[in-house]
């Protein structure tokens, strides 16, 4: 019987240390004057300057990128999913008016691959820099008994801050407010289980197949980076005419917009199949999906919805390329909801 050690049990300590070394300088490029300590400590340290706010509220969120990971594995392309993760989390706290402070990641995998880890984290670093957010820590866990055959999981946690006076939606949504949709880059990070079933099981396409209707390959369509809406919306976060934001993720437009609609009001959405981007039309027609399935599964080309007073509408339509989606009206049933009209 050969002598047993940790590596023979599926954990390569040396490879893990190599992975940390390979990302150290990249990660430090996201640091600012508030980051304390070094990568590899037991905890990340961040000095929070409360003096920059009147009444600061910390906002946190944790999320992943779902089965989009399976597409990245199929394509052997890992430079975009780290960006997806950071941008998704940034958007999740943006809807409460928060600016990101710092980010932490978790990667669980079957076997340590330093080159792949460096590529994934390189994507996170790129997105953190773009969002002015420090990547102050994380975890790479090699667990061959849990993950198999190149599988891995990717999760992120973000901490941000908002001044209480700018907290969204903060009860400002009212009848007559206008819904402005901001375009997505594609599926973003939701709907992939259904999209993969349609494309790979039903249509029998592969990652390199060219989709004529969309003018791109399957891989390019499915790995399009989840947009961060912070650069577009940052100038409006303190504007009193911005009443609410909804990040359109799992559950689609209705499932996410209803989270911010107060009781007694409803969102009246006028957005129809002919307005969907080509990717969503193609998925619907090739799989003969009905309207309800499309609306609950995909963002339909809308990644964020802003609820605004009428005086801000024209500016948002022109400056951020928004789409007029509808308005806020009175609910007949006394509870907030979303209705397609």
């Amino acid at each position: 019987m050969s002598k047993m050690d940790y590596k023979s049990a599926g954990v390569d300590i040396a490879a893990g240390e190599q992975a940390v070394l390979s990302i150290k300088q990249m990660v430090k490029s996201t640091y600012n004057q508030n980051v304390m300590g070094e990568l590899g400590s037991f905890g990340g340290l961040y000095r929070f300057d409360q003096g920059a706010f009147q009444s600061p509220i910390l906002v946190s969120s944790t999320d992943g990128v779902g089965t989009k990971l399976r597409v990245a594995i199929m394509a052997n392309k890992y430079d975009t999913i780290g960006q997806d993760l950071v941008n998704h989390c940034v958007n999740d706290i943006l809807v409460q008016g928060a600016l990101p402070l710092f980010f932490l990641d978790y990667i669980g995998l079957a076997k340590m691959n330093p080159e792949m880890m460096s590529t994934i984290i390189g994507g996170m670093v790129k997105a953190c820099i773009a969002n002015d957010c420090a990547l102050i820590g994380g975890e790479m866990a090699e667990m061959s008994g849990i993950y198999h055959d190149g599988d891995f999981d990717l999760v992120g946690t973000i901490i941000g801050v908002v001044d209480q006076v700018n907290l969204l939606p903060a009860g400002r949504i009212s009848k007559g407010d206008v819904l402005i949709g901001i375009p997505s880059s594609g599926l973003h990070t939701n709907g992939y289980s259904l999209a993969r079933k349609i494309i790979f099981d039903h249509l029998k396409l592969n990652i390199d197949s060219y989709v004529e209707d969309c003018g791109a390959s399957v891989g390019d369509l499915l790995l399009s980076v989840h947009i961060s809406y912070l650069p577009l919306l940052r100038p409006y976060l303190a504007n009193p005419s911005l009443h609410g934001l909804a990040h359109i993720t799992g559950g689609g437009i209705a499932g996410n917009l209803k989270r911010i609609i107060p009781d007694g009001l409803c969102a009246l959405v006028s957005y129809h199949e002919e307005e969907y981007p080509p990717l969503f039309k193609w998925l619907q027609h090739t799989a003969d999906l009905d309207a309800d399935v499309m609306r609950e599964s995909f963002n339909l080309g809308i990644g964020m919805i802003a609820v605004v007073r009428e005086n801000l509408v024209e500016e948002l339509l022109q400056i951020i390329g928004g789409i007029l989606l509808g308005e806020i009206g009175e609910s007949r049933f006394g509870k907030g909801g979303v209705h397609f009209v």
Side-chain angles (χ1 to χ4, degrees), residues 16-37:
E17 291 177 347
Q18 181 185 341
V20 172
L21 286 173
S22 71
I23 66 172
K24 199 165 189 177
Q25 286 307 118
M26 280 195 303
V27 170
K28 288 184 72 172
S29 70
T30 71
Y31 286 7
N32 55 38
Q33 70 274 12
N34 295 317
V35 178
M36 304 172 65

Side-chain angles (χ1 to χ4, degrees), residues 59-64 85-86 89-90 93 101-106 124 128 133-138 154-160:
V59 184
S60 61
S61 182
T62 295
D63 218 318
L85 181 65
V86 173
C89 289
V90 167
I93 64 169
L101 296 174
F102 58 87
F103 189 83
L104 302 100
D105 68 271
Y106 165 83
M124 294 185 206
C128 280
C133 179
L135 177 57
I136 66 169
L154 184 62
V155 180
T157 295
I158 195 165
I159 306 295

Side-chain angles (χ1 to χ4, degrees), residues 32-171:
N32 55 38
Q33 70 274 12
N34 295 317
V35 178
M36 304 172 65
E38 291 290 328
L39 184 68
S41 299
F42 285 102
L45 303 175
Y46 193 91
R47 180 176 40 226
F48 177 47
D49 181 14
Q50 296 187 52
F53 304 89
Q54 296 178 31
S55 183
I57 298 173
L58 293 177
V59 184
S60 61
S61 182
T62 295
D63 218 318
V65 295
T67 61
K68 190 172 187 175
L69 293 178
R70 178 56 56 195
V71 181
I73 293 169
M74 293 173 67
N76 194 31
K77 179 177 170 60
Y78 303 105
D79 59 335
T80 59
I81 52 174
Q83 297 176 66
D84 292 324
L85 181 65
V86 173
N87 290 343
H88 184 126
C89 289
V90 167
N91 290 338
D92 275 352
I93 64 169
L94 178 62
V95 301
Q96 290 170 290
L99 300 176
L101 296 174
F102 58 87
F103 189 83
L104 302 100
D105 68 271
Y106 165 83
I107 306 174
L109 71 167
K111 183 176 176 58
M112 186 60 65
N113 182 331
E115 183 179 354
M116 184 177 80
M117 292 299 98
S118 180
T119 302
I120 293 171
I121 293 171
M124 294 185 206
V125 166
K126 182 177 181 178
C128 280
I129 291 173
N131 288 292
D132 193 21
C133 179
L135 177 57
I136 66 169
E139 167 73 354
M140 292 182 287
E142 193 174 16
M143 298 189 294
S144 60
I146 301 295
Y147 302 101
H148 304 282
D149 302 325
D151 288 344
F152 66 99
D153 201 6
L154 184 62
V155 180
T157 295
I158 195 165
I159 306 295
V161 62
V162 58
D163 230 331
Q164 187 168 351
V165 68
N166 297 324
L167 185 66
L168 295 173

Side-chain angles (χ1 to χ4, degrees), residues 268-295:
L268 302 171
V269 178
S270 178
Y271 185 61
H272 305 104
E273 180 185 333
E274 60 269 18
E275 300 173 84
Y276 299 170
L279 171 60
F280 299 95
K281 291 180 181 177
W282 176 66
L283 289 171
Q284 182 172 24
H285 295 158
T286 55
D288 193 27
L289 301 178
D290 63 35
D292 288 341
V293 171
M294 288 295 294
R295 288 170 179 167

